[in-house]
Amino acid sequence: MFTKNQLKKYASLVLKVGVNLQKNQELVIFSPVECAPVTRILVEEAYKEGASLVRVRWEDEKVNRLNYLFADIDKLSDVPDYQVKERDYMLDNKVAYIAIDADDPNIYNGIDEKRLSICAKKRGIAFKKWREATMNNEIRWCVCSLPTLAWAKQVFPNSKTPLKDLTVKIKETMRLDSKNPVKAWEKHLKTLNKRAKFLNRQNFEYLEFKNSLGTDLRVGLAKNHLWLAAEEMAKDNIKFTANIPTEEIFTCPHAFKVDGVLKSALPLCYQGNIIDNFSISFKDGKVVDFSAEKGSETLKELIETDEGTYRLGEVALVPKNSPIAKQKILYFNTLFDENASSHLAIGKAYPTTVKNGSNLTKEELVKLGVNDSTEHVDFMIGTSDLSVVGVKKSGEKITIFSDGDFVI
């Protein structure tokens, strides 16, 4: 497990690089109960950084499973007002927010997908203001992770020490073994920003994705799109990093200009169920066909969530030699797996990925091609032979990726 020194490094990284906690600022942490020991250290270190108050909201996925199995569906899907008001309070008071993502990938195996879907849709509607605000950088937030035994057993099913093995790998992805992880991340973020700046100078109209799996996809980019790296600017003009770890640069696809077919490169864990070996076809930006060897019903429920989940909301580039990709491990956790592979997202686009997007109305965003939805779900398409070509308005083509890696 983590040494005491590494735990302090972990906390420092998430607090300083992640949410960039300020003096006298409130902090809220959403944490699985299994992560309580480390969460308490995060709380302690937050106070050392000058937090005025730290609240922890505990989540127990085993209790959640029991609720999905036995609760009355009308009661289960009803989002109580106090949960909505809790998030409203966080937004109104500019609270820093940390979410620890460490779910058991199979926790909802055997649960009726309809029940999961009904609850997800109701939550999406109830928390729409919260999702829009976080995607618009109205507060500083960070999603990070900690190893848990159930998750570790899924990643290392044949290991006698799965929790130890997963801990070692997470340390690597977070650069906790370096002398100063905060400085190591600052250097890493500069590299990502440099690539994003190059792509912004190109102002591509389309990206063409191809690989041997059968992906052959033309993705239009939203008008006035911006390529972003992990480090972003919140509305309070303070920088933060929303995901740790992260290896991507990303932008906004045009919701009505996607054509062709994509093939998944890695399984997707969605609502505690695995979707694997899936294919999605697009015409004029909309999903027109899809299939999956595993989890087809879950994929169907995802795509049919609302009108926005028939379209794309993100395109992200990750090289095959990223630290996570080189581990050659399937984490069954999107926070990690999306940073091992170039990916797309179904659903809502980040307003921040178009110029001045945070200050535009929904109608103005739609005109630019920015998708809207109650969902945003990343899935991986990057392979070791992925080719990505940028196409300018003039027709000029520039190769961005060759054999799964940047050539720029």
Side-chain angles (χ1 to χ4, degrees):
M1 292 297 290
F2 291 99
T3 65
K4 186 175 182 180
N5 185 46
Q6 286 171 332
L7 285 174
K8 288 190 174 184
K9 285 183 177 181
Y10 179 100
S12 179
L13 180 62
V14 174
L15 293 169
K16 292 180 179 180
V17 176
V19 294
N20 198 356
L21 186 69
Q22 302 294 296
K23 296 282 187 182
N24 299 316
Q25 185 176 20
E26 288 186 51
L27 173 67
V28 171
I29 304 172
F30 280 31
S31 171
V33 292
E34 292 88 347
C35 299
V38 181
T39 300
R40 293 184 187 113
I41 291 173
L42 260 176
V43 173
E44 182 178 358
E45 293 301 312
Y47 279 121
K48 290 180 182 178
E49 291 293 325
S52 59
L53 177 65
V54 183
R55 304 179 196 270
V56 179
R57 179 168 175 204
W58 302 104
E59 290 285 339
D60 189 330
E61 62 183 7
K62 292 181 180 178
V63 169
N64 291 342
R65 178 180 173 82
L66 291 171
N67 285 335
Y68 277 116
L69 280 171
F70 304 117
D72 178 271
I73 188 60
D74 291 333
K75 293 286 188 182
L76 183 62
S77 62
D78 182 43
V79 179
D81 287 344
Y82 74 84
Q83 290 188 3
V84 177
K85 289 179 179 178
E86 175 185 34
R87 286 163 174 78
D88 287 345
Y89 173 89
M90 292 166 65
L91 296 175
D92 292 342
N93 291 275
K94 305 303 178 187
V95 171
Y97 165 63
I98 294 172
I100 299 175
D101 181 7
D103 295 338
D104 176 355
N106 290 307
I107 190 62
Y108 297 139
N109 270 5
I111 303 292
D112 182 2
E113 283 91 348
K114 290 287 185 183
R115 288 172 67 85
L116 293 169
S117 179
I118 289 169
C119 293
K121 288 177 182 178
K122 289 287 189 70
R123 285 197 303 271
I125 294 168
F127 298 143
K128 186 172 177 61
K129 177 184 174 182
W130 166 257
R131 176 178 285 278
E132 290 179 346
T134 53
M135 293 183 77
N136 221 18
N137 294 350
E138 290 185 19
I139 62 171
R140 281 171 279 115
W141 55 281
C142 180
V143 180
C144 56
S145 192
L146 289 165
T148 61
L149 183 57
W151 177 24
K153 286 180 177 179
Q154 177 73 13
V155 179
F156 298 103
N158 300 317
S159 172
K160 293 182 179 178
T161 57
L163 189 58
K164 179 181 177 182
D165 294 344
L166 183 57
T167 301
V168 168
K169 296 304 179 183
I170 289 179
K171 287 177 187 176
E172 292 175 3
T173 66
M174 296 186 70
R175 295 170 169 82
L176 292 178
D177 290 329
S178 61
K179 186 176 180 180
N180 188 327
V182 171
K183 287 188 176 181
W185 270 89
E186 288 173 350
K187 181 179 178 181
H188 172 53
L189 293 172
K190 284 181 180 179
T191 299
L192 294 178
N193 285 329
K194 184 178 179 181
R195 284 176 173 158
K197 287 178 181 178
F198 173 85
L199 290 174
N200 281 326
R201 291 197 296 269
Q202 307 312 309
N203 193 27
F204 291 121
E205 286 281 305
Y206 288 89
L207 299 180
E208 296 176 343
F209 292 82
K210 292 183 180 181
N211 66 15
S212 59
L213 279 181
T215 290
D216 189 351
L217 192 69
R218 184 176 171 91
V219 179
L221 299 182
K223 187 177 180 181
N224 299 332
H225 68 273
L226 285 174
W227 287 91
L228 301 177
E231 187 179 57
E232 298 185 64
M233 187 72 74
K235 282 200 169 180
D236 59 7
N237 292 317
I238 297 174
K239 292 180 178 179
F240 74 105
T241 303
N243 289 343
I244 296 181
T246 185
E247 303 290 337
E248 68 179 297
I249 54 175
F250 62 100
T251 193
C252 186
H254 196 295
F256 299 91
K257 296 183 180 180
V258 181
D259 293 278
V261 62
L262 64 84
K263 303 284 186 177
S264 65
L266 293 171
L268 167 65
C269 183
Y270 175 69
Q271 292 186 350
N273 287 288
I274 303 297
I275 309 171
D276 197 8
N277 291 327
F278 59 92
S279 173
I280 305 177
S281 298
F282 292 84
K283 182 174 175 55
D284 297 328
K286 188 172 183 178
V287 174
V288 293
D289 194 21
F290 57 89
S291 63
E293 289 185 13
K294 182 177 182 180
S296 59
E297 188 61 30
T298 302
L299 179 61
K300 180 176 183 293
E301 293 294 339
L302 167 59
I303 290 173
E304 295 179 352
T305 299
D306 58 34
E307 284 299 313
T309 44
Y310 280 88
R311 302 182 186 274
L312 295 182
E314 181 185 347
V315 54
L317 301 179
V318 179
K320 68 180 181 183
N321 65 353
S322 77
I324 298 177
K326 288 196 287 190
Q327 289 180 340
K328 297 189 182 303
I329 295 170
L330 182 61
Y331 280 91
F332 299 96
N333 180 304
T334 302
L335 177 64
F336 292 87
D337 291 334
E338 74 170 6
N339 288 298
S341 172
S342 292
H343 53 274
L344 304 170
I346 276 177
K348 187 174 178 61
Y350 290 92
T352 53
T353 52
V354 294
K355 294 176 184 177
N356 196 38
S358 297
N359 298 315
L360 299 180
T361 65
K362 289 182 182 179
E363 292 74 19
E364 289 171 329
L365 289 169
V366 168
K367 287 182 180 180
L368 296 176
V370 180
N371 194 33
D372 188 32
S373 173
T374 58
E375 275 283 11
H376 178 95
V377 179
D378 298 274
F379 57 93
M380 289 61 72
I381 65 167
T383 57
S384 61
D385 66 347
L386 179 68
S387 164
V388 183
V389 175
V391 183
K392 294 187 176 183
K393 191 172 184 178
S394 65
E396 179 187 359
K397 293 188 176 185
I398 296 177
T399 299
I400 303 169
F401 255 50
S402 179
D403 291 327
D405 205 351
F406 282 105
V407 296
I408 58 175

